């Protein structure tokens, strides 16, 4: 039995929790970090599978992600650029693989014009939305009461243009069908990355990787915390009141503290018994946040064979099972790695198949981009975060249709001594490690101020 007293108990040792804990400790506050899993890092997880190092969760860093970049530099980690020499592949409605360079897919002229017009319109709308408070936009309610798919259909009759623009937010980011979330939610996603154009530019959004893996951010931050991190310690009960909190975790661990930070995905709040229960608003609000779902597929080959064909490895196909794929070869690795993504309804569909059938279907899709050689990887692995009890989906949580303007303003509001920090409730860096770090810093600063008051 472990009974300890700290200034702050932090629930979750992902990027948000480990960042907050370090900042609090630097300011002289004592912390305990309780982590459900047997490792730190949360949705960042760098592992060796059949001899290949794979980024099972988050991995890419984009140039606007200042908080993450500062942390990477401060921890002395190195980054390298994603391989991007050569031509990309696009498979559209005609089912043919077309080579191209630049950002705009090689589609028919009228489709190209429709796509460019949509990107321009979205950039204008996104510039009006503050990612920290999209609900404050004067037309927030109206934008939250039309699905992204319906809004796109109102702007153009060109279905391939609609499907391609939907892809950048739906399959590629929120990992929900474009009919399942609102225009406002789409604008938040783009605003959190700076602009819609940034999402279309894979050289921006998927710019760099960390040598040795992105999980190292949390690993190094946790190392600095030493014995203050408790693994295999899922918090089951959180008592709270005017005097602070008492957290009860597996392993017979009890932590008394002045404040708690819930530093994990909002869909997991309901896994904790709050005594007394959280207020009505939180009960309602938390039911309107749900995880998207995507399978991240890793295929490792004896060499990056696509480069020999002048291909960058970058591939898009709005009607393909794997709607996007990239060269994901590790730093200075002779072997070549492709990473593909199977999102929302497609992911549901292939999980109804046997593992062998699913693998065959996914590799078949990759072969449409890269040729038959793609069907024979030496290592094959599917990241399935939907099966992970302490995550339950990928990449992150978003509000369901109409939920953002209704509940968004309260998503970061503390309840008594309980504070919330996670990438899924961030503004800038939303759904990314950068947003997790920003939220960790923000909540730590608030608590430091409260503790000094
Ligand atoms: P995170 O979920 O990482 O950590 C929360 C921690 O809390 C977990 O360790 C969990 O076990 C723990 N926990 C939960 N409940 C608990 C309880 N009751 N008691 C104790 N502990 C509890 N981002 C990016 O920047 N670039 C990218 O390329 C990608 N790509 C990507 C791919 C895939 C497949 C995924 C799943 C995710 C990404 N992301 C990403 C998103 C990124 O990984 C994510 O935004 C951050 O890891 C979120 O960090 P948090 O600390 O907020 O939560």
């Amino acid at each position: 039995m472990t009974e300890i007293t700290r200034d702050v108990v932090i629930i979750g040792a992902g990027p948000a929790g480990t960042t907050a804990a370090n900042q609090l400790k630097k300011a002289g506050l004592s912390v305990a970090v309780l982590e459900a899993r047997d490792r730190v890092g949360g949705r960042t997880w760098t592992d060796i599978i059949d001899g290949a190092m794979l980024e099972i969760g988050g991995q890419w860093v984009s140039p606007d992600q200042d908080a993450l970049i500062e942390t990477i530099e401060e921890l002395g980690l190195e980054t390298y650029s994603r391989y991007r020499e050569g031509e990309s592949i696009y498979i559209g409605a005609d089912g043919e693989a077309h080579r191209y360079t630049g950002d705009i897919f090689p589609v028919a002229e009228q489709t190209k014009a429709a796509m460019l017009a949509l990107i321009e319109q979205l950039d204008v709308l996104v510039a009006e939305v503050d990612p920290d408070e999209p609900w404050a936009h004067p037309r927030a309610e109206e934008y939250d009461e039309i699905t992204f798919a319906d809004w796109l259909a109102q702007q153009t009759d060109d279905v391939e243009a609609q499907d391609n623009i939907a892809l950048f937010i739906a399959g590629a980011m929120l990992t929900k069908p474009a009919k399942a979330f609102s225009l406002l939610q789409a604008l938040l996603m783009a605003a959190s990355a700076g602009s819609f154009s940034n999402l279309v530019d894979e050289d921006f959004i998927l710019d760099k990787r960390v040598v040795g893996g992105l999980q190292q951010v949390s690993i190094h931050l946790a190392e600095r915390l030493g014995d203050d991190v408790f693994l295999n310690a899922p918090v089951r009960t959180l008592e709270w009141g005017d005097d602070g909190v008492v957290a009860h975790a597996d392993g017979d661990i009890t932590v008394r503290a002045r404040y708690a930070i819930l530093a994990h995905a909002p869909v997991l709040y309901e896994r904790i018994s709050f005594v007394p229960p959280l207020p009505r608003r939180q009960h309602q609000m938390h039911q309107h946040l749900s995880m998207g779902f995507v399978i991240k597929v890793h295929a490792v080959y004896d060499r990056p064979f696509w480069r020999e064909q002048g291909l960058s490895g970058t591939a898009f196909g709005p009607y393909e099972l794997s709607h996007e794929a990239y060269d994901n070869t590790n730093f200075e690795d002779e072997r070549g790695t492709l990473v593909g993504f199977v999102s929302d309804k497609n992911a549901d569909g292939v999980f109804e198949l046997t593992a062998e059938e699913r693998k065959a279907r996914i590799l078949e899709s990759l072969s449409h981009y890269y040729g038959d050689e793609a069907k024979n990887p030496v290592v094959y692995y599917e990241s399935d975060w939907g099966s992970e009890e302490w995550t339950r989906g990928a990449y992150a949580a978003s509000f369901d249709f109409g939920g953002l303007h209704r509940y968004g303003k309260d998503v970061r509001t503390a309840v008594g001594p309980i504070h919330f920090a996670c990438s899924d409730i961030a503004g800038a860096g939303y759904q990314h490690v950068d947003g997790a770090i920003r939220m960790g810093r923000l909540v730590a600063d608030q608590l430091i101020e409260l503790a000094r008051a």
Side-chain angles (χ1 to χ4, degrees), residues 196-214:
F196 191 81
S197 291
N198 283 347
L199 292 187
V200 174
D201 179 1
E202 73 275 358
D203 288 345
F204 181 90
I205 206 78
L206 313 179
D207 182 26
K208 290 207 161 32
R209 290 180 56 192
V210 170
V211 177
L214 190 54

Side-chain angles (χ1 to χ4, degrees), residues 12 15-16 34-37 42-43 58-60 235 263-264 395 422-423 433:
L34 301 176
E35 167 54 51
R37 292 176 158 101
R43 278 169 274 173
Q59 61 168 70
W60 280 300
V235 172
H264 55 72
Y395 306 106
C422 178
S423 70
V433 172

Side-chain angles (χ1 to χ4, degrees), residues 6-87:
R6 295 286 196 272
D7 291 315
V8 186
V9 59
I10 295 140
I11 302 171
T18 50
T19 297
N22 270 273
Q23 192 142 322
L24 290 162
K25 216 171 164 175
K26 254 190 229 157
L29 297 180
S30 58
V31 298
V33 182
L34 301 176
E35 167 54 51
R37 292 176 158 101
D38 62 0
R39 59 169 183 83
V40 303
R43 278 169 274 173
T44 58
W45 184 13
T46 312
D47 204 3
I48 309 284
I49 308 283
D50 297 335
M53 190 197 91
L54 302 180
E55 287 281 45
I56 293 170
Q59 61 168 70
W60 280 300
V61 183
S62 60
D64 61 326
Q65 296 181 333
D66 304 334
L68 173 57
I69 292 168
E70 270 171 35
T71 306
I72 287 171
E73 284 172 1
E74 202 260 315
L75 294 173
L77 298 170
E78 299 285 326
T79 58
Y80 64 106
S81 293
R82 181 175 56 79
Y83 185 82
R84 63 192 68 174
E85 309 300 317
E87 291 178 304

Side-chain angles (χ1 to χ4, degrees), residues 124-163:
V124 170
L125 292 181
V126 167
E128 293 171 359
V129 168
D130 177 350
D132 280 321
E133 43 174 12
W135 46 86
H137 189 281
R139 296 173 71 183
E141 185 169 349
E142 178 191 337
Y143 290 170
D144 209 23
E145 290 183 341
I146 180 163
T147 69
F148 189 45
D150 288 343
W151 181 83
L152 289 169
Q154 282 181 3
Q155 314 309 310
T156 176
D157 293 335
D158 191 309
V159 174
E160 194 166 345
Q162 290 171 31
D163 292 339

Side-chain angles (χ1 to χ4, degrees), residues 110-421:
Q110 72 273 14
T111 303
K112 190 177 284 186
M115 284 179 67
L116 288 171
L118 285 170
I119 292 169
E120 207 178 310
Q121 268 172 288
L122 283 163
D123 272 339
V124 170
L125 292 181
V126 167
E128 293 171 359
V129 168
D130 177 350
D132 280 321
E133 43 174 12
W135 46 86
H137 189 281
R139 296 173 71 183
E141 185 169 349
E142 178 191 337
Y143 290 170
D144 209 23
E145 290 183 341
I146 180 163
T147 69
F148 189 45
D150 288 343
W151 181 83
L152 289 169
Q154 282 181 3
Q155 314 309 310
T156 176
D157 293 335
D158 191 309
V159 174
E160 194 166 345
Q162 290 171 31
D163 292 339
N164 276 325
I165 297 299
L167 179 73
F168 292 114
I169 298 271
M173 285 286 156
L174 296 175
T175 59
K176 292 178 173 178
K179 272 200 175 291
F181 59 87
S182 70
L183 170 64
L184 188 66
Q185 181 67 63
L187 298 179
L188 161 61
M189 187 71 243
S192 74
S195 70
F196 191 81
S197 291
N198 283 347
L199 292 187
V200 174
D201 179 1
E202 73 275 358
D203 288 345
F204 181 90
I205 206 78
L206 313 179
D207 182 26
K208 290 207 161 32
R209 290 180 56 192
V210 170
V211 177
L214 190 54
Q215 189 191 1
Q216 287 173 99
V217 165
S218 299
I219 292 174
H220 286 305
L221 288 172
E223 273 166 10
R224 292 181 177 178
L225 299 167
D227 293 345
D228 290 330
V229 180
F230 298 80
L231 299 179
N232 301 305
V235 172
R236 306 289 182 180
T237 305
L238 190 67
E239 296 169 44
W240 61 282
D242 292 343
D243 297 339
V245 299
V246 186
H248 300 275
D250 285 9
D252 231 349
I253 301 171
T254 301
V255 184
R256 286 169 205 285
R258 290 157 76 189
Y259 305 103
I261 301 177
L262 299 196
H264 55 72
V267 294
L268 299 170
Y269 298 152
E270 59 92 18
R271 292 300 314 277
I272 298 174
S273 288
F274 294 90
V275 183
L278 291 178
R280 173 197 314 110
R281 183 75 175 161
Q282 277 66 31
H283 279 170
Q284 281 287 296
M285 174 170 65
H286 295 159
Q287 293 183 59
H288 291 268
L289 282 157
S290 58
M291 292 301 260
F293 189 37
V294 64
I295 312 170
K296 183 176 182 181
V297 179
H298 312 259
V300 183
Y301 304 86
D302 60 358
R303 65 191 204 293
F305 64 86
W306 52 94
R307 295 183 189 173
E308 295 158 11
Q309 303 161 26
L311 293 175
S312 63
T314 301
F316 292 96
Y319 310 113
E320 278 295 324
L321 184 59
S322 176
H323 64 265
E324 62 184 318
Y326 304 93
D327 185 321
N328 207 28
T329 302
N330 289 330
F331 186 64
E332 292 186 341
D333 194 349
E334 280 175 12
R335 299 204 278 187
T337 302
L338 290 173
V339 65
F341 295 89
V342 179
S343 189
D344 56 84
K345 288 188 194 172
N346 282 331
D348 297 342
V350 291
F351 272 120
E352 295 197 357
L353 306 174
T354 65
E356 276 311 304
E357 286 168 341
R358 185 167 59 251
K359 177 178 173 184
R361 289 275 307 281
I362 292 172
L363 289 176
E364 172 70 36
S365 179
L366 291 182
S367 79
H368 297 165
Y369 297 120
Y370 310 105
D372 277 350
E373 224 173 331
K375 289 184 184 168
N376 297 306
V378 290
V379 177
Y380 175 86
Y381 183 76
E382 295 162 1
S383 301
D384 169 21
W385 289 86
S387 299
E388 291 275 326
E389 184 182 10
W390 299 107
T391 303
R392 302 185 167 211
Y395 306 106
S398 48
F399 275 105
D400 60 11
F401 182 59
L404 181 56
H405 84 282
R406 200 169 154 201
Y407 297 106
K409 75 178 172 58
D410 290 320
V411 81
R412 296 191 281 267
T413 308
V415 174
I418 306 172
H419 292 247
F420 303 90

